[in-house]
Amino acid sequence: MIIYLDESKKILEEKIVFWWFISYNKHQFIQKLVTKKKMNYWFSEKLELKWTKDTWKKFFERMTKDIDFKFMNGNLLWAYIIWYDKDSVESYVQCILYIISRIYNKLKDYDWKMQIYADKMNLWSTSQVEKIITRKIKEEFPTKNKITFYFKWSENNCWVQLADLISYQMRLCNINGAEMDAFLSKNSLNLDLGQKFKITKKT
């Protein structure tokens, strides 16, 4: 099982939405599909989905009507966090552990190998943070199978771009109060838009 993660923030309001997409498909499947759809939807295959507002909006609108994206059914997971320190590794780890807790009970009785991929940040030594997060996950959620966490650049990875696109849509719903899109409603694992995860702000 692979989980793709991204986040969408309103820093001044100290709000953030994390979005996860659970996939049982390989990277190559999503990479080829999104690249193909970029060309079908009249975008450059090298263009990131959220490069401009019009780009992500048009792609999302086309995607929601495209049956080739049915593999996303029931696999969207999000968390609305009312405070988040972007410079804090501890806060970031708390967010990740919280979201995994929302799916762990459904998966712990199965044989599962989990890989988590997040959009790369320039805030920390990413290799060190990858190790910290992987260790914390293993401590908090024991399983006989391997769990690993990685950062990846979105520039060349369509699966990270897809997470980026959806995370923004979830922010519009959760933070901005926009109407929930039918595509998101159909594919989401958790639709309680009022549920918030609180991280205590350090003084």
Side-chain angles (χ1 to χ4, degrees):
M1 181 182 68
I2 301 173
I3 295 178
Y4 302 108
L5 161 70
D6 208 342
E7 58 192 75
S8 190
K9 315 175 197 66
K10 272 195 170 180
I11 297 296
L12 294 180
E13 296 181 22
E14 299 181 332
K15 298 176 181 178
I16 185 172
V17 167
F18 273 85
W19 175 83
W20 295 61
F21 163 52
I22 301 171
S23 174
Y24 296 92
N25 300 290
K26 295 181 179 180
H27 292 323
Q28 295 88 335
F29 170 81
I30 299 176
Q31 188 76 18
K32 289 180 180 178
L33 176 64
V34 175
T35 299
K36 174 185 174 183
K37 294 304 176 181
K38 283 181 179 180
M39 293 186 289
N40 289 350
Y41 300 167
W42 302 101
F43 299 118
S44 166
E45 63 180 279
K46 296 182 180 180
L47 183 67
E48 286 197 48
L49 295 181
K50 251 186 66 181
W51 187 258
T52 68
K53 181 176 181 179
D54 286 341
T55 301
W56 63 254
K57 185 175 182 180
K58 290 177 181 177
F59 190 96
F60 182 78
E61 289 174 352
R62 294 287 298 271
M63 181 182 74
T64 59
K65 300 175 179 66
D66 194 326
I67 61 172
D68 287 340
F69 284 93
K70 64 183 179 182
F71 67 92
M72 300 176 75
N73 288 355
N75 287 328
L76 306 188
L77 186 70
W78 55 266
Y80 177 13
I81 297 154
I82 61 173
W83 184 81
Y84 173 73
D85 182 352
K86 68 182 180 66
D87 296 320
S88 169
V89 173
E90 181 182 347
S91 294
Y92 189 84
V93 173
Q94 283 187 56
C95 296
I96 292 171
L97 294 178
Y98 172 74
I99 298 182
I100 294 177
S101 72
R102 304 184 73 171
I103 62 173
Y104 180 67
N105 287 334
K106 296 180 181 179
L107 300 171
K108 66 181 179 181
D109 295 329
Y110 296 88
D111 291 337
W112 58 302
K113 175 182 177 182
M114 183 167 71
Q115 296 174 308
I116 304 170
Y117 291 88
D119 198 359
K120 193 167 185 177
M121 298 184 179
N122 293 318
L123 301 174
W124 323 298
S125 169
T126 54
S127 61
Q128 186 64 28
V129 175
E130 286 173 347
K131 293 176 182 177
I132 292 172
I133 294 174
T134 297
R135 185 181 71 250
K136 289 285 188 180
I137 292 172
K138 289 178 180 178
E139 291 173 356
E140 193 80 18
F141 305 102
T143 174
K144 61 184 178 181
N145 291 301
K146 189 175 183 180
I147 301 176
T148 47
F149 181 96
Y150 307 97
F151 285 108
K152 294 290 182 181
W153 290 112
S154 63
E155 182 178 356
N156 299 316
N157 296 308
C158 288
W159 22 280
V160 179
Q161 293 177 32
L162 194 58
D164 186 26
L165 178 67
I166 300 296
S167 69
Y168 186 75
Q169 297 297 324
M170 295 306 292
R171 190 190 87 173
L172 293 179
C173 296
N174 287 273
I175 294 180
N176 294 34
E179 184 177 347
M180 172 67 82
D181 185 274
F183 177 82
L184 298 175
S185 176
K186 177 182 177 182
N187 294 305
S188 181
L189 290 173
N190 51 326
L191 293 176
D192 183 1
L193 299 182
Q195 188 173 24
K196 301 174 183 179
F197 172 44
K198 298 182 181 180
I199 293 181
T200 304
K201 188 170 184 177
K202 294 181 179 180
T203 56

